[in-house]
């Protein structure tokens, strides 16, 4: 049976998951959306739908810059909708425009994971165009070094661990509740 969201809490803005490939944004986001009783969107899937191509095909045919343009547009559209949980691709938050859109319209949560956990997950698959290099582990480490200082601008950080998806989704929802629950208590909204 689906768990009902806690009655003392209603999501008033989208929750945007950021973090590296392999951090678990999509699997955990889907379950967290279920717990919060809001829709779940995977920005990568939405980009694929809009382009009618897979992400590797978009990279191969049009290049990364074109992919980032589509990513920016898709995330802007998702942010306009009702509260939801949105998983973004690992590079999305690195785009300054996307980052400020997220900052203005959503609660951002960085799913932070250790390199060893990320590598154990991403090395099993070949679906990430950015890791199609001679030394993908080094590439992963370079991306971590570039991105973690920027990811640190997220509103919340949740440590992604090698535990069940359900446990991770529960930890994410607890962190969101604590943050937004407190915000509502202390700040309120005009007219409330
Ligand atoms: C990318 C991560 C991918 C996808 C694309 C680029 C990145 O998404 O958006 O391959 O720049 O890190 P995931 O983080 O969901 O794997």
């Amino acid at each position: 049976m689906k768990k009902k969201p806690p009655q003392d809490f209603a999501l008033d803005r989208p929750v945007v998951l950021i973090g590296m490939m392999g951090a678990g944004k999509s699997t955990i986001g889907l379950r967290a959306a279920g717990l919060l009783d809001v829709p779940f969107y995977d920005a990568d899937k939405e980009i694929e739908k809009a382009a009618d191509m897979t992400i590797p095909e978009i990279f191969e045919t049009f290049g990364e810059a074109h992919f980032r343009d589509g990513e920016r547009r898709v995330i802007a559209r998702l942010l306009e909708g009702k509260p939801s949980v949105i998983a973004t691709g690992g590079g999305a938050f690195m785009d300054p425009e996307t980052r400020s859109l997220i900052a203005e319209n959503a609660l951002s949560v960085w799913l932070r994971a250790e390199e060893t956990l990320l590598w154990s997950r991403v090395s099993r698959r070949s679906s990430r165009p950015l890791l199609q290099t001679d030394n993908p582990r080094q590439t992963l480490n370079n991306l971590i070094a570039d991105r973690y200082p920027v990811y640190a601008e997220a509103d919340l950080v949740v440590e992604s661990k090698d535990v069940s998806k359900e446990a991770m989704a529960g930890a994410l929802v607890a962190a969101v509740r604590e943050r937004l629950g407190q915000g509502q208590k202390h700040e309120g909204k005009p007219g409330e």
Side-chain angles (χ1 to χ4, degrees):
M1 267 229 307
K2 200 170 159 190
K3 275 197 202 151
K4 283 253 178 329
Q7 293 306 306
D8 61 333
F9 171 76
L11 201 60
D12 62 353
R13 71 198 89 159
V15 172
V16 172
L17 300 184
I18 67 158
M20 282 294 289
M21 14 191 172
K25 293 164 294 187
S26 303
T27 40
I28 295 163
L30 175 66
R31 282 161 184 82
L35 293 173
L36 290 164
D37 207 17
V38 295
F40 170 72
Y41 299 104
D42 182 328
D44 282 345
K45 293 255 154 50
E46 298 294 321
I47 297 163
E48 290 185 325
K49 260 198 253 166
D52 198 18
M53 291 170 100
T54 65
I55 287 175
E57 281 168 357
I58 300 172
F59 269 75
E60 211 185 313
T61 315
F62 301 113
E64 183 174 350
H66 181 92
F67 171 76
R68 297 296 171 203
D69 288 344
E71 180 173 57
R72 197 181 308 115
R73 280 197 299 274
V74 161
I75 292 174
R77 167 169 62 77
L78 295 176
L79 287 173
E80 281 172 7
K82 293 216 171 79
S84 60
V85 175
I86 303 168
T88 62
F93 200 67
M94 299 304 291
D95 180 276
E97 213 178 301
T98 303
R99 195 159 66 245
S100 57
L101 266 179
I102 294 172
E104 281 159 30
N105 297 290
L107 181 79
S108 53
V109 185
W110 174 18
L111 272 186
R112 184 173 60 195
E114 294 293 334
E115 190 266 357
T116 41
L117 179 61
L118 295 174
W119 178 249
S120 74
R121 289 177 178 166
V122 297
S123 56
R124 281 186 242 139
R125 292 211 201 156
S126 63
S127 55
R128 266 89 179 203
L130 290 186
L131 295 181
Q132 305 309 304
T133 63
D134 291 341
N135 188 345
R137 190 155 193 175
Q138 186 58 52
T139 307
L140 180 70
N141 276 276
N142 294 345
L143 287 170
I144 288 173
D146 285 350
R147 291 178 173 183
Y148 277 23
V150 179
Y151 289 169
E153 292 179 27
D155 297 315
L156 281 177
V157 183
V158 171
E159 205 62 44
S160 179
K161 302 201 182 108
D162 202 8
V163 297
S164 74
K165 298 167 179 109
E166 288 70 26
M168 275 308 310
L172 171 62
V173 169
V176 168
R177 286 194 66 200
E178 194 183 292
R179 175 63 176 254
L180 292 184
Q182 276 174 6
Q184 278 162 7
K185 245 183 260 152
H186 294 144
E187 289 156 24
K189 274 204 194 143
E192 268 183 356

